[in-house]
Amino acid sequence: MDLELAGRTALVTGSYRGTGRGIAGVLAGEGAHVVVHGFEDGQPDQVVAEIRERGGSAEGVVADIHSDQGASSLAEVAEGVDVLVNNYGAPGGSSWSDMAVWAEEWNVNVLASVRVTQLCLPAMRNKGWGRVVYLGTVGTHQPNTRNAGYYAAKTALPTLVRTLAMEVRGSGVTANLVSPGMIATPEVQAMVMRRAARDSQGDSWPQAERWALDNSMPNLTEHIPTPVDIGRVVAFVASQAAWHINGADIAVDGGARDA
């Protein structure tokens, strides 16, 4: 299937590492020009180089989207963006016994993406075509006691995406949420390997993956997806083929909610 992303420009926030890196690579493989975002000078460089080595098109951009002023440095880039993937987000270690980082978790996981969306929307509406894809988490349906503020902030995203879809109705712009479960980023793999080793559950990724599924987050496929696996779903949601998907929260969790 031709996703008709060739010639489109895609901005993926936080794409210098982890899940965003995988998404950026998939979009570039589909022919999009990818803007790789980082927070510090040099952060996007390796991902940009990897994409170009594979024959794709990419450029790096540095912006601290934690503030209005920092996000404003994306204004020029935003004018050419057709696909915005609001991938960036992170837990801050909040709990019910310590409220110190709750506001920051809201800023990181909600407001940062709103700032970038506001910058990109005018050009999308003018062109009559655009895709805004947010990255959520299955944890909004299955939170745990750690990072309470993070899960509370992420829980706002389905409503945020729905109201955005209503805001741009009939414009050719769509807004959707992709909600994964556990993702086998290098950082997650390293963490799972350490924990599995402490439980004497083997020293290979297949063994550690089995341990994680049994002890941390089970799902019905009994495998943990890679960032590229998530990127393929995001690419479809961003495609012309998905033009009638709008305001949706799409679970990409292997059935973890029912496991």
Side-chain angles (χ1 to χ4, degrees):
M1 179 187 296
D2 181 4
L3 298 183
E4 299 183 46
L5 289 172
R8 302 287 189 186
T9 294
L11 167 60
V12 185
T13 62
S15 46
Y16 68 98
R17 62 188 291 271
T19 302
R21 184 177 192 162
I23 293 170
V26 172
L27 290 171
E30 292 293 334
H33 172 71
V34 179
V35 181
V36 179
H37 166 252
F39 291 87
E40 300 175 2
D41 289 341
Q43 279 185 338
D45 294 353
Q46 185 175 354
V47 178
V48 170
E50 289 173 354
I51 289 172
R52 290 176 177 174
E53 287 170 5
R54 294 194 295 265
S57 176
E59 64 179 294
V61 64
V62 174
D64 184 0
I65 58 176
H66 296 117
S67 69
D68 293 348
Q69 182 176 0
S72 67
S73 61
L74 289 174
E76 184 175 347
V77 169
E79 292 180 2
V81 170
D82 303 292
V83 176
L84 169 61
V85 182
N86 282 311
N87 161 77
Y88 174 66
S94 59
S95 70
W96 280 103
S97 60
D98 183 1
M99 299 290 289
V101 297
W102 282 58
E104 181 59 19
E105 284 181 318
W106 180 264
N107 186 36
V108 166
N109 294 288
V110 179
L111 298 184
S113 64
V114 172
R115 293 184 184 101
V116 182
T117 301
Q118 288 176 330
L119 288 170
C120 294
L121 272 183
M124 290 182 181
R125 298 178 90 159
N126 286 339
K127 287 181 285 191
W129 197 96
R131 301 287 183 267
V132 181
V133 184
Y134 276 75
L135 266 289
T137 172
V138 67
T140 58
H141 298 273
Q142 294 178 316
N144 57 42
T145 55
R146 297 182 60 191
N147 298 303
Y150 165 75
Y151 288 118
K154 284 290 193 179
T155 300
L157 295 184
T159 300
L160 184 153
V161 164
R162 182 65 181 174
T163 61
L164 178 57
M166 295 167 67
E167 173 71 18
V168 297
R169 65 187 303 159
S171 67
V173 181
T174 64
N176 290 290
L177 177 65
V178 171
S179 295
M182 181 180 284
I183 305 169
T185 64
E187 295 82 4
V188 168
Q189 284 186 312
M191 175 193 69
V192 169
M193 291 283 287
R194 287 194 302 270
R195 292 180 178 178
R198 285 200 298 266
D199 279 357
S200 300
Q201 295 298 310
D203 55 4
S204 68
W205 172 245
Q207 291 170 318
E209 180 185 36
R210 183 69 262 166
W211 176 89
L213 292 165
D214 290 340
N215 294 277
S216 180
M217 185 174 285
N219 68 55
L220 302 181
T221 68
E222 299 199 338
H223 287 286
I224 300 173
T226 67
V228 169
D229 292 323
I230 304 304
R232 293 188 183 109
V233 178
V234 170
F236 175 74
V237 174
S239 73
Q240 178 58 30
W243 68 272
H244 202 49
I245 301 175
N246 203 6
D249 179 2
I250 302 167
V252 190
D253 60 4
R257 300 180 190 185
D258 303 314

